[in-house]
Amino acid sequence: MEKKKTSRQQVYTLVVQIGRKEGDGLPKGATGAALMIFASGIDEAEAVRETVAILKQADTAPLDVTGYGTLADREAEGHEIEAEERGLMQRALEENSVIVAQMTPFFGDEEPTVH
C-alpha cells in the first residue's frame, strides 16, 4: 500500500499588475489591469515564479507582483475572507494551480490601486 505523501504546497494570495500587450484580452481602452490570484507553491517565491510564467504564456505582460501570504497569514492580518475565496484557494491547492480570482482593468489616468 502506497503512503500518501504530505504536500508541502500552500496557497498564496498575489496581486499582479499587468500592462498592455497585443492579444492580452483586456477591454478596449484599458491601460492595464490588476489580477487577484491564488497560486500554489512550496513557498511564495515559487508561487510568484509559476504565476508570472503562466501569465506570460497567456500573452499578458506582468509588471509587478505583490504577495499577501497564505490564508493563515491573511487571517492573522485581520482580512475577511469569504467562502467563495476559500473555495478558490482550496481548488488551487488541490489542483496545484494558479487561479485568477478577480481582474480589475485600469483606464486612462486612473491611479492603479488595489485593496
Side-chain angles (χ1 to χ4, degrees):
M1 192 187 285
E2 230 178 276
K3 278 178 108 176
K4 186 175 180 184
K5 73 177 188 183
T6 307
S7 176
R8 297 183 341 214
Q9 298 279 83
Q10 294 190 76
V11 175
Y12 295 87
T13 301
L14 308 173
V15 173
V16 181
Q17 290 192 24
I18 61 172
R20 291 307 313 249
K21 182 177 177 187
E22 189 173 332
D24 60 16
L26 292 177
K28 183 177 174 139
T31 57
L35 307 176
M36 184 170 82
I37 292 177
F38 302 125
S40 67
I42 299 294
D43 57 24
E44 193 169 72
E46 180 185 58
V48 168
R49 283 191 303 274
E50 291 294 321
T51 298
V52 168
I54 287 169
L55 290 174
K56 286 181 177 180
Q57 287 177 354
D59 282 334
T60 66
L63 302 173
D64 185 60
V65 180
T66 304
Y68 290 91
T70 63
L71 175 61
D73 295 334
R74 291 184 58 201
E75 287 174 331
E77 290 284 322
H79 295 195
E80 287 187 28
I81 301 163
E82 296 177 16
E84 184 180 356
E85 269 187 82
R86 290 175 187 275
L88 290 172
M89 290 175 182
Q90 185 60 40
R91 181 175 159 205
L93 183 63
E94 289 169 1
E95 297 176 2
N96 188 24
S97 63
V98 172
I99 295 176
V100 177
Q102 183 179 348
M103 188 221 19
T104 305
F106 302 133
F107 293 94
D109 296 332
E110 285 180 21
E111 187 63 34
T113 58
V114 179
H115 300 284

